[in-house]
Amino acid sequence: TIVDVTTTTDGAAVTTTTLPAGSPAALAEQLRDLAFTLGPAIVDGVGRATLQKIDALWAAIISQVPRTQFVEDAGHQPDLMRAAVERKRPADADKAALHLEALVNSALTALQGA
């Protein structure tokens, strides 16, 4: 009788992330500025790292102001940036950054009061 005992371990690393700190307005400004670096980062092959920072900033913003007009209006832009990284399309990332910039600039006063 042969008993085959195979032990497998889950190779997935457990990661914890800490959301960036700051007011919603300050985080939105950081997000706006970082969004413009995503297109060049895609070209340089480091788009995923930049996208992780963008996702962290976005998560920090929506944790503080979850149901605002800004979140509803701007929520599509991180999705477009994610698709731009996955498809290696820096022009799409730049387009999303331009839309995000307009949304952040128009919502800054409201976010400062949040």
Side-chain angles (χ1 to χ4, degrees), residues 40-104:
I42 292 170
V43 171
D44 294 339
V46 292
R48 291 199 187 276
T50 303
L51 182 62
Q52 286 178 340
K53 294 174 188 174
I54 288 170
D55 284 340
L57 286 168
W58 183 244
I61 291 168
I62 62 174
S63 72
Q64 293 184 41
V65 288
R67 292 188 175 104
T68 61
Q69 190 65 41
F70 171 72
V71 171
E72 288 182 23
D73 292 343
H76 185 60
Q77 302 316 312
D79 294 336
L80 292 176
M81 291 178 194
R82 207 168 293 109
V85 169
E86 290 170 3
R87 295 183 178 115
K88 294 181 173 67
R89 303 212 30 175
D92 290 350
D94 293 343
K95 187 187 316 181
L98 286 170
H99 289 288
L100 186 64
E101 177 185 41
L103 292 166
V104 168

Short mmCIF file of all heavy atoms in Angstrom, two decimals, residues 40-104:
data_model
loop_
_atom_site.label_atom_id
_atom_site.label_comp_id
_atom_site.label_asym_id
_atom_site.label_seq_id
_atom_site.Cartn_x
_atom_site.Cartn_y
_atom_site.Cartn_z
N PRO A 40 2.67 58.53 -18.30
CA PRO A 40 4.11 58.27 -18.43
C PRO A 40 4.55 57.00 -17.69
O PRO A 40 5.45 56.30 -18.14
CB PRO A 40 4.76 59.51 -17.83
CG PRO A 40 3.73 60.58 -17.98
CD PRO A 40 2.40 59.88 -17.83
N ALA A 41 3.90 56.71 -16.56
CA ALA A 41 4.26 55.49 -15.81
C ALA A 41 3.93 54.24 -16.63
O ALA A 41 4.68 53.26 -16.60
CB ALA A 41 3.54 55.47 -14.47
N ILE A 42 2.83 54.27 -17.36
CA ILE A 42 2.48 53.13 -18.23
C ILE A 42 3.55 52.95 -19.30
O ILE A 42 3.99 51.83 -19.56
CB ILE A 42 1.09 53.34 -18.85
CG1 ILE A 42 0.00 53.27 -17.78
CG2 ILE A 42 0.82 52.30 -19.94
CD1 ILE A 42 -1.37 53.70 -18.25
N VAL A 43 3.97 54.05 -19.88
CA VAL A 43 5.01 53.99 -20.91
C VAL A 43 6.30 53.42 -20.33
O VAL A 43 6.99 52.62 -20.97
CB VAL A 43 5.26 55.39 -21.52
CG1 VAL A 43 6.47 55.38 -22.44
CG2 VAL A 43 4.02 55.86 -22.28
N ASP A 44 6.62 53.81 -19.09
CA ASP A 44 7.86 53.36 -18.44
C ASP A 44 7.74 51.96 -17.84
O ASP A 44 8.71 51.44 -17.29
CB ASP A 44 8.28 54.35 -17.35
CG ASP A 44 8.68 55.70 -17.91
OD1 ASP A 44 9.01 55.77 -19.12
OD2 ASP A 44 8.65 56.68 -17.15
N GLY A 45 6.55 51.38 -17.89
CA GLY A 45 6.37 50.02 -17.37
C GLY A 45 6.10 49.94 -15.88
O GLY A 45 6.16 48.87 -15.29
N VAL A 46 5.79 51.06 -15.23
CA VAL A 46 5.51 51.06 -13.80
C VAL A 46 4.10 51.57 -13.52
O VAL A 46 3.82 52.14 -12.47
CB VAL A 46 6.56 51.89 -13.01
CG1 VAL A 46 7.92 51.20 -13.05
CG2 VAL A 46 6.64 53.31 -13.54
N GLY A 47 3.21 51.34 -14.47
CA GLY A 47 1.84 51.80 -14.33
C GLY A 47 1.10 51.17 -13.16
O GLY A 47 0.32 51.83 -12.48
N ARG A 48 1.35 49.90 -12.90
CA ARG A 48 0.66 49.21 -11.80
C ARG A 48 1.01 49.82 -10.44
O ARG A 48 0.14 49.95 -9.59
CB ARG A 48 0.97 47.72 -11.81
CG ARG A 48 0.35 47.02 -13.00
CD ARG A 48 0.25 45.52 -12.80
NE ARG A 48 -0.19 44.87 -14.02
CZ ARG A 48 -1.46 44.76 -14.38
NH1 ARG A 48 -2.39 45.27 -13.64
NH2 ARG A 48 -1.79 44.14 -15.50
N ALA A 49 2.26 50.18 -10.25
CA ALA A 49 2.66 50.79 -8.98
C ALA A 49 1.98 52.14 -8.78
O ALA A 49 1.50 52.45 -7.68
CB ALA A 49 4.18 50.94 -8.93
N THR A 50 1.92 52.93 -9.83
CA THR A 50 1.25 54.23 -9.75
C THR A 50 -0.24 54.03 -9.53
O THR A 50 -0.87 54.75 -8.74
CB THR A 50 1.52 55.05 -11.02
OG1 THR A 50 2.93 55.19 -11.19
CG2 THR A 50 0.89 56.43 -10.93
N LEU A 51 -0.82 53.05 -10.19
CA LEU A 51 -2.25 52.77 -10.03
C LEU A 51 -2.57 52.35 -8.60
O LEU A 51 -3.62 52.72 -8.07
CB LEU A 51 -2.70 51.69 -11.01
CG LEU A 51 -4.18 51.36 -10.98
CD1 LEU A 51 -5.02 52.58 -11.36
CD2 LEU A 51 -4.48 50.20 -11.91
N GLN A 52 -1.70 51.62 -7.95
CA GLN A 52 -1.92 51.23 -6.56
C GLN A 52 -2.00 52.46 -5.67
O GLN A 52 -2.84 52.53 -4.76
CB GLN A 52 -0.81 50.30 -6.07
CG GLN A 52 -0.91 48.91 -6.62
CD GLN A 52 0.23 48.01 -6.17
OE1 GLN A 52 1.28 48.48 -5.74
NE2 GLN A 52 0.02 46.71 -6.26
N LYS A 53 -1.16 53.45 -5.92
CA LYS A 53 -1.21 54.69 -5.14
C LYS A 53 -2.52 55.43 -5.42
O LYS A 53 -3.13 55.98 -4.50
CB LYS A 53 -0.01 55.57 -5.49
CG LYS A 53 1.32 54.98 -5.08
CD LYS A 53 2.47 55.83 -5.58
CE LYS A 53 3.80 55.16 -5.35
NZ LYS A 53 4.91 55.91 -5.95
N ILE A 54 -2.92 55.45 -6.67
CA ILE A 54 -4.18 56.11 -7.04
C ILE A 54 -5.35 55.41 -6.35
O ILE A 54 -6.23 56.06 -5.78
CB ILE A 54 -4.35 56.12 -8.57
CG1 ILE A 54 -3.37 57.12 -9.19
CG2 ILE A 54 -5.79 56.43 -8.98
CD1 ILE A 54 -3.27 57.07 -10.70
N ASP A 55 -5.35 54.09 -6.37
CA ASP A 55 -6.43 53.33 -5.73
C ASP A 55 -6.46 53.59 -4.22
O ASP A 55 -7.54 53.70 -3.63
CB ASP A 55 -6.27 51.83 -5.99
CG ASP A 55 -6.69 51.44 -7.40
OD1 ASP A 55 -7.44 52.20 -8.05
OD2 ASP A 55 -6.27 50.35 -7.85
N ALA A 56 -5.29 53.70 -3.59
CA ALA A 56 -5.25 53.97 -2.16
C ALA A 56 -5.80 55.36 -1.85
O ALA A 56 -6.57 55.53 -0.89
CB ALA A 56 -3.81 53.85 -1.65
N LEU A 57 -5.43 56.35 -2.66
CA LEU A 57 -5.97 57.70 -2.45
C LEU A 57 -7.48 57.71 -2.66
O LEU A 57 -8.22 58.33 -1.88
CB LEU A 57 -5.29 58.69 -3.40
CG LEU A 57 -3.86 59.08 -3.05
CD1 LEU A 57 -3.20 59.81 -4.21
CD2 LEU A 57 -3.84 59.94 -1.79
N TRP A 58 -7.95 57.05 -3.69
CA TRP A 58 -9.38 57.01 -3.97
C TRP A 58 -10.13 56.33 -2.82
O TRP A 58 -11.18 56.80 -2.38
CB TRP A 58 -9.65 56.31 -5.30
CG TRP A 58 -11.10 56.31 -5.64
CD1 TRP A 58 -11.91 55.22 -5.77
CD2 TRP A 58 -11.93 57.44 -5.91
NE1 TRP A 58 -13.18 55.61 -6.09
CE2 TRP A 58 -13.22 56.97 -6.18
CE3 TRP A 58 -11.69 58.81 -5.93
CZ2 TRP A 58 -14.28 57.81 -6.47
CZ3 TRP A 58 -12.76 59.66 -6.23
CH2 TRP A 58 -14.02 59.16 -6.49
N ALA A 59 -9.59 55.23 -2.31
CA ALA A 59 -10.22 54.53 -1.18
C ALA A 59 -10.27 55.42 0.06
O ALA A 59 -11.26 55.42 0.80
CB ALA A 59 -9.47 53.24 -0.88
N ALA A 60 -9.22 56.19 0.27
CA ALA A 60 -9.20 57.11 1.42
C ALA A 60 -10.25 58.20 1.26
O ALA A 60 -10.91 58.59 2.23
CB ALA A 60 -7.81 57.72 1.59
N ILE A 61 -10.43 58.69 0.05
CA ILE A 61 -11.42 59.74 -0.20
C ILE A 61 -12.83 59.19 0.03
O ILE A 61 -13.63 59.79 0.75
CB ILE A 61 -11.29 60.31 -1.62
CG1 ILE A 61 -9.99 61.10 -1.75
CG2 ILE A 61 -12.49 61.18 -1.98
CD1 ILE A 61 -9.62 61.48 -3.18
N ILE A 62 -13.13 58.05 -0.57
CA ILE A 62 -14.50 57.54 -0.45
C ILE A 62 -14.80 57.01 0.95
O ILE A 62 -15.97 56.89 1.31
CB ILE A 62 -14.85 56.49 -1.52
CG1 ILE A 62 -13.96 55.26 -1.43
CG2 ILE A 62 -14.79 57.10 -2.89
CD1 ILE A 62 -14.37 54.15 -2.37
N SER A 63 -13.78 56.73 1.75
CA SER A 63 -14.04 56.33 3.13
C SER A 63 -14.48 57.54 3.96
O SER A 63 -15.17 57.38 4.96
CB SER A 63 -12.81 55.68 3.75
OG SER A 63 -11.80 56.63 4.01
N GLN A 64 -14.09 58.74 3.54
CA GLN A 64 -14.45 59.95 4.28
C GLN A 64 -15.70 60.62 3.75
O GLN A 64 -16.44 61.25 4.50
CB GLN A 64 -13.29 60.94 4.25
CG GLN A 64 -12.07 60.45 5.01
CD GLN A 64 -10.98 61.50 5.03
OE1 GLN A 64 -11.24 62.68 5.19
NE2 GLN A 64 -9.74 61.06 4.85
N VAL A 65 -15.93 60.55 2.46
CA VAL A 65 -17.10 61.18 1.83
C VAL A 65 -17.75 60.17 0.88
O VAL A 65 -17.74 60.34 -0.32
CB VAL A 65 -16.73 62.48 1.09
CG1 VAL A 65 -16.41 63.59 2.07
CG2 VAL A 65 -15.56 62.28 0.14
N PRO A 66 -18.37 59.11 1.44
CA PRO A 66 -18.83 58.01 0.60
C PRO A 66 -19.98 58.33 -0.36
O PRO A 66 -20.03 57.80 -1.45
CB PRO A 66 -19.25 56.95 1.61
CG PRO A 66 -19.53 57.68 2.86
CD PRO A 66 -18.64 58.89 2.85
N ARG A 67 -20.88 59.19 0.04
CA ARG A 67 -22.06 59.43 -0.81
C ARG A 67 -22.19 60.91 -1.14
O ARG A 67 -23.13 61.57 -0.73
CB ARG A 67 -23.31 58.94 -0.09
CG ARG A 67 -23.33 57.44 0.04
CD ARG A 67 -24.67 56.98 0.58
NE ARG A 67 -24.73 55.54 0.58
CZ ARG A 67 -24.60 54.80 1.66
NH1 ARG A 67 -24.43 55.36 2.83
NH2 ARG A 67 -24.67 53.50 1.58
N THR A 68 -21.26 61.36 -1.92
CA THR A 68 -21.31 62.75 -2.34
C THR A 68 -21.40 62.80 -3.87
O THR A 68 -21.11 61.81 -4.55
CB THR A 68 -20.06 63.53 -1.89
OG1 THR A 68 -18.91 62.92 -2.49
CG2 THR A 68 -19.91 63.53 -0.38
N GLN A 69 -21.76 63.94 -4.36
CA GLN A 69 -21.83 64.12 -5.81
C GLN A 69 -20.46 63.92 -6.44
O GLN A 69 -20.33 63.36 -7.52
CB GLN A 69 -22.39 65.50 -6.15
CG GLN A 69 -22.71 65.67 -7.61
CD GLN A 69 -23.82 64.75 -8.07
OE1 GLN A 69 -24.81 64.56 -7.37
NE2 GLN A 69 -23.66 64.17 -9.24
N PHE A 70 -19.41 64.37 -5.74
CA PHE A 70 -18.05 64.21 -6.27
C PHE A 70 -17.72 62.74 -6.46
O PHE A 70 -17.20 62.34 -7.50
CB PHE A 70 -17.03 64.86 -5.34
CG PHE A 70 -15.61 64.54 -5.71
CD1 PHE A 70 -15.03 65.09 -6.84
CD2 PHE A 70 -14.85 63.66 -4.95
CE1 PHE A 70 -13.73 64.78 -7.21
CE2 PHE A 70 -13.55 63.35 -5.30
CZ PHE A 70 -12.99 63.91 -6.44
N VAL A 71 -18.01 61.91 -5.48
CA VAL A 71 -17.70 60.48 -5.58
C VAL A 71 -18.50 59.84 -6.71
O VAL A 71 -17.95 59.03 -7.47
CB VAL A 71 -17.95 59.77 -4.23
CG1 VAL A 71 -17.86 58.26 -4.37
CG2 VAL A 71 -16.95 60.27 -3.18
N GLU A 72 -19.75 60.22 -6.84
CA GLU A 72 -20.56 59.67 -7.92
C GLU A 72 -20.03 60.10 -9.29
O GLU A 72 -19.98 59.30 -10.22
CB GLU A 72 -22.01 60.10 -7.76
CG GLU A 72 -22.70 59.40 -6.60
CD GLU A 72 -24.16 59.79 -6.48
OE1 GLU A 72 -24.75 60.24 -7.48
OE2 GLU A 72 -24.70 59.64 -5.38
N ASP A 73 -19.65 61.37 -9.40
CA ASP A 73 -19.15 61.88 -10.68
C ASP A 73 -17.76 61.34 -11.02
O ASP A 73 -17.48 61.00 -12.16
CB ASP A 73 -19.10 63.41 -10.66
CG ASP A 73 -20.49 64.04 -10.61
OD1 ASP A 73 -21.47 63.34 -10.90
OD2 ASP A 73 -20.56 65.22 -10.25
N ALA A 74 -16.89 61.29 -10.04
CA ALA A 74 -15.49 60.93 -10.29
C ALA A 74 -15.23 59.43 -10.20
O ALA A 74 -14.17 58.96 -10.60
CB ALA A 74 -14.58 61.67 -9.31
N GLY A 75 -16.18 58.67 -9.69
CA GLY A 75 -15.96 57.24 -9.46
C GLY A 75 -15.59 56.45 -10.70
O GLY A 75 -14.93 55.41 -10.60
N HIS A 76 -15.95 56.92 -11.85
CA HIS A 76 -15.66 56.21 -13.10
C HIS A 76 -14.20 56.40 -13.53
O HIS A 76 -13.64 55.53 -14.22
CB HIS A 76 -16.61 56.71 -14.18
CG HIS A 76 -16.51 55.98 -15.47
ND1 HIS A 76 -16.74 54.64 -15.59
CD2 HIS A 76 -16.17 56.41 -16.71
CE1 HIS A 76 -16.57 54.27 -16.85
NE2 HIS A 76 -16.22 55.33 -17.55
N GLN A 77 -13.57 57.48 -13.12
CA GLN A 77 -12.22 57.78 -13.59
C GLN A 77 -11.18 56.75 -13.10
O GLN A 77 -10.35 56.31 -13.90
CB GLN A 77 -11.81 59.20 -13.21
CG GLN A 77 -12.75 60.28 -13.75
CD GLN A 77 -13.16 60.09 -15.20
OE1 GLN A 77 -12.34 59.84 -16.06
NE2 GLN A 77 -14.46 60.18 -15.46
N PRO A 78 -11.18 56.34 -11.83
CA PRO A 78 -10.24 55.28 -11.43
C PRO A 78 -10.44 53.99 -12.21
O PRO A 78 -9.47 53.28 -12.51
CB PRO A 78 -10.52 55.09 -9.94
CG PRO A 78 -11.03 56.42 -9.50
CD PRO A 78 -11.86 56.92 -10.66
N ASP A 79 -11.69 53.69 -12.57
CA ASP A 79 -11.96 52.50 -13.39
C ASP A 79 -11.31 52.64 -14.77
O ASP A 79 -10.73 51.68 -15.29
CB ASP A 79 -13.46 52.27 -13.54
CG ASP A 79 -14.14 51.92 -12.23
OD1 ASP A 79 -13.46 51.42 -11.31
OD2 ASP A 79 -15.36 52.16 -12.13
N LEU A 80 -11.43 53.82 -15.35
CA LEU A 80 -10.79 54.06 -16.65
C LEU A 80 -9.27 53.96 -16.55
O LEU A 80 -8.62 53.45 -17.46
CB LEU A 80 -11.19 55.44 -17.19
CG LEU A 80 -12.66 55.60 -17.59
CD1 LEU A 80 -12.93 57.04 -18.01
CD2 LEU A 80 -13.01 54.65 -18.71
N MET A 81 -8.73 54.45 -15.45
CA MET A 81 -7.27 54.37 -15.25
C MET A 81 -6.83 52.93 -15.10
O MET A 81 -5.79 52.53 -15.64
CB MET A 81 -6.87 55.19 -14.03
CG MET A 81 -7.03 56.67 -14.23
SD MET A 81 -6.59 57.55 -12.73
CE MET A 81 -7.27 59.15 -13.10
N ARG A 82 -7.61 52.14 -14.40
CA ARG A 82 -7.30 50.72 -14.24
C ARG A 82 -7.29 50.02 -15.60
O ARG A 82 -6.38 49.25 -15.91
CB ARG A 82 -8.35 50.09 -13.31
CG ARG A 82 -7.87 48.91 -12.56
CD ARG A 82 -8.83 48.50 -11.44
NE ARG A 82 -8.88 49.52 -10.38
CZ ARG A 82 -9.92 50.33 -10.14
NH1 ARG A 82 -11.02 50.22 -10.84
NH2 ARG A 82 -9.87 51.22 -9.17
N ALA A 83 -8.29 50.31 -16.42
CA ALA A 83 -8.36 49.72 -17.76
C ALA A 83 -7.18 50.19 -18.61
O ALA A 83 -6.62 49.41 -19.39
CB ALA A 83 -9.67 50.09 -18.44
N ALA A 84 -6.77 51.45 -18.45
CA ALA A 84 -5.63 51.97 -19.22
C ALA A 84 -4.35 51.22 -18.86
O ALA A 84 -3.53 50.92 -19.74
CB ALA A 84 -5.46 53.47 -18.96
N VAL A 85 -4.18 50.91 -17.58
CA VAL A 85 -2.98 50.17 -17.15
C VAL A 85 -3.03 48.74 -17.69
O VAL A 85 -2.04 48.24 -18.23
CB VAL A 85 -2.85 50.18 -15.62
CG1 VAL A 85 -1.78 49.21 -15.15
CG2 VAL A 85 -2.54 51.59 -15.13
N GLU A 86 -4.19 48.10 -17.56
CA GLU A 86 -4.32 46.72 -18.02
C GLU A 86 -4.11 46.59 -19.53
O GLU A 86 -3.51 45.63 -20.00
CB GLU A 86 -5.70 46.17 -17.65
CG GLU A 86 -5.86 45.96 -16.15
CD GLU A 86 -7.30 45.65 -15.76
OE1 GLU A 86 -8.17 45.52 -16.65
OE2 GLU A 86 -7.54 45.53 -14.55
N ARG A 87 -4.57 47.58 -20.28
CA ARG A 87 -4.47 47.52 -21.73
C ARG A 87 -3.26 48.27 -22.28
O ARG A 87 -3.11 48.39 -23.49
CB ARG A 87 -5.76 48.07 -22.35
CG ARG A 87 -6.95 47.21 -22.03
CD ARG A 87 -8.20 47.71 -22.69
NE ARG A 87 -9.32 46.84 -22.40
CZ ARG A 87 -10.38 47.21 -21.69
NH1 ARG A 87 -10.48 48.44 -21.22
NH2 ARG A 87 -11.35 46.37 -21.47
N LYS A 88 -2.47 48.84 -21.36
CA LYS A 88 -1.28 49.61 -21.74
C LYS A 88 -1.64 50.73 -22.72
O LYS A 88 -1.08 50.84 -23.80
CB LYS A 88 -0.22 48.68 -22.32
CG LYS A 88 0.33 47.71 -21.30
CD LYS A 88 1.40 46.84 -21.89
CE LYS A 88 2.07 45.98 -20.88
NZ LYS A 88 1.34 44.95 -20.26
N ARG A 89 -2.56 51.59 -22.27
CA ARG A 89 -3.03 52.70 -23.09
C ARG A 89 -2.84 54.01 -22.34
O ARG A 89 -3.76 54.50 -21.68
CB ARG A 89 -4.50 52.50 -23.44
CG ARG A 89 -4.68 51.15 -24.14
CD ARG A 89 -5.72 51.08 -25.11
NE ARG A 89 -6.00 52.32 -25.79
CZ ARG A 89 -6.84 52.41 -26.77
NH1 ARG A 89 -7.45 51.34 -27.21
NH2 ARG A 89 -7.09 53.55 -27.35
N PRO A 90 -1.64 54.60 -22.44
CA PRO A 90 -1.37 55.83 -21.70
C PRO A 90 -2.28 56.99 -22.09
O PRO A 90 -2.60 57.83 -21.25
CB PRO A 90 0.09 56.14 -22.01
CG PRO A 90 0.47 55.27 -23.15
CD PRO A 90 -0.49 54.13 -23.20
N ALA A 91 -2.74 57.04 -23.32
CA ALA A 91 -3.64 58.12 -23.74
C ALA A 91 -4.96 58.05 -22.98
O ALA A 91 -5.53 59.09 -22.63
CB ALA A 91 -3.87 58.07 -25.24
N ASP A 92 -5.45 56.84 -22.72
CA ASP A 92 -6.68 56.70 -21.94
C ASP A 92 -6.48 57.16 -20.51
O ASP A 92 -7.38 57.77 -19.91
CB ASP A 92 -7.17 55.26 -21.96
CG ASP A 92 -7.69 54.83 -23.32
OD1 ASP A 92 -7.87 55.70 -24.20
OD2 ASP A 92 -7.93 53.61 -23.51
N ALA A 93 -5.31 56.89 -19.96
CA ALA A 93 -5.00 57.36 -18.60
C ALA A 93 -4.95 58.88 -18.56
O ALA A 93 -5.45 59.51 -17.62
CB ALA A 93 -3.68 56.76 -18.12
N ASP A 94 -4.37 59.48 -19.59
CA ASP A 94 -4.30 60.94 -19.66
C ASP A 94 -5.69 61.55 -19.78
O ASP A 94 -5.99 62.58 -19.16
CB ASP A 94 -3.44 61.38 -20.84
CG ASP A 94 -1.96 61.03 -20.66
OD1 ASP A 94 -1.55 60.74 -19.51
OD2 ASP A 94 -1.24 61.03 -21.66
N LYS A 95 -6.56 60.92 -20.56
CA LYS A 95 -7.93 61.41 -20.72
C LYS A 95 -8.67 61.35 -19.38
O LYS A 95 -9.37 62.29 -19.00
CB LYS A 95 -8.66 60.58 -21.77
CG LYS A 95 -10.04 61.13 -22.11
CD LYS A 95 -10.86 60.24 -23.02
CE LYS A 95 -10.09 59.67 -24.17
NZ LYS A 95 -10.93 58.82 -25.06
N ALA A 96 -8.52 60.24 -18.67
CA ALA A 96 -9.16 60.10 -17.36
C ALA A 96 -8.60 61.14 -16.38
O ALA A 96 -9.34 61.69 -15.57
CB ALA A 96 -8.95 58.69 -16.82
N ALA A 97 -7.31 61.42 -16.48
CA ALA A 97 -6.69 62.42 -15.60
C ALA A 97 -7.26 63.81 -15.87
O ALA A 97 -7.51 64.58 -14.94
CB ALA A 97 -5.17 62.43 -15.79
N LEU A 98 -7.50 64.13 -17.13
CA LEU A 98 -8.09 65.42 -17.46
C LEU A 98 -9.51 65.55 -16.91
O LEU A 98 -9.87 66.60 -16.36
CB LEU A 98 -8.10 65.63 -18.98
CG LEU A 98 -6.75 65.93 -19.62
CD1 LEU A 98 -6.86 65.87 -21.14
CD2 LEU A 98 -6.24 67.28 -19.17
N HIS A 99 -10.29 64.51 -17.04
CA HIS A 99 -11.65 64.53 -16.48
C HIS A 99 -11.61 64.64 -14.96
O HIS A 99 -12.37 65.39 -14.37
CB HIS A 99 -12.43 63.28 -16.90
CG HIS A 99 -12.80 63.26 -18.33
ND1 HIS A 99 -13.78 64.07 -18.87
CD2 HIS A 99 -12.32 62.51 -19.36
CE1 HIS A 99 -13.88 63.83 -20.16
NE2 HIS A 99 -13.01 62.89 -20.49
N LEU A 100 -10.70 63.87 -14.34
CA LEU A 100 -10.57 63.91 -12.89
C LEU A 100 -10.15 65.29 -12.42
O LEU A 100 -10.65 65.79 -11.41
CB LEU A 100 -9.59 62.84 -12.42
CG LEU A 100 -9.47 62.68 -10.91
CD1 LEU A 100 -10.79 62.21 -10.32
CD2 LEU A 100 -8.37 61.69 -10.58
N GLU A 101 -9.23 65.91 -13.15
CA GLU A 101 -8.78 67.26 -12.78
C GLU A 101 -9.96 68.22 -12.77
O GLU A 101 -10.13 69.01 -11.82
CB GLU A 101 -7.72 67.75 -13.76
CG GLU A 101 -7.27 69.17 -13.48
CD GLU A 101 -6.31 69.70 -14.52
OE1 GLU A 101 -6.53 69.44 -15.73
OE2 GLU A 101 -5.36 70.39 -14.13
N ALA A 102 -10.79 68.18 -13.78
CA ALA A 102 -11.94 69.08 -13.84
C ALA A 102 -12.91 68.82 -12.68
O ALA A 102 -13.42 69.76 -12.06
CB ALA A 102 -12.65 68.92 -15.18
N LEU A 103 -13.13 67.56 -12.37
CA LEU A 103 -14.04 67.21 -11.29
C LEU A 103 -13.48 67.63 -9.93
O LEU A 103 -14.21 68.16 -9.08
CB LEU A 103 -14.33 65.71 -11.30
CG LEU A 103 -15.15 65.23 -12.49
CD1 LEU A 103 -15.10 63.71 -12.60
CD2 LEU A 103 -16.58 65.72 -12.37
N VAL A 104 -12.19 67.40 -9.72
CA VAL A 104 -11.57 67.79 -8.45
C VAL A 104 -11.60 69.31 -8.31
O VAL A 104 -11.96 69.84 -7.25
CB VAL A 104 -10.12 67.26 -8.34
CG1 VAL A 104 -9.38 67.90 -7.18
CG2 VAL A 104 -10.13 65.74 -8.17
#
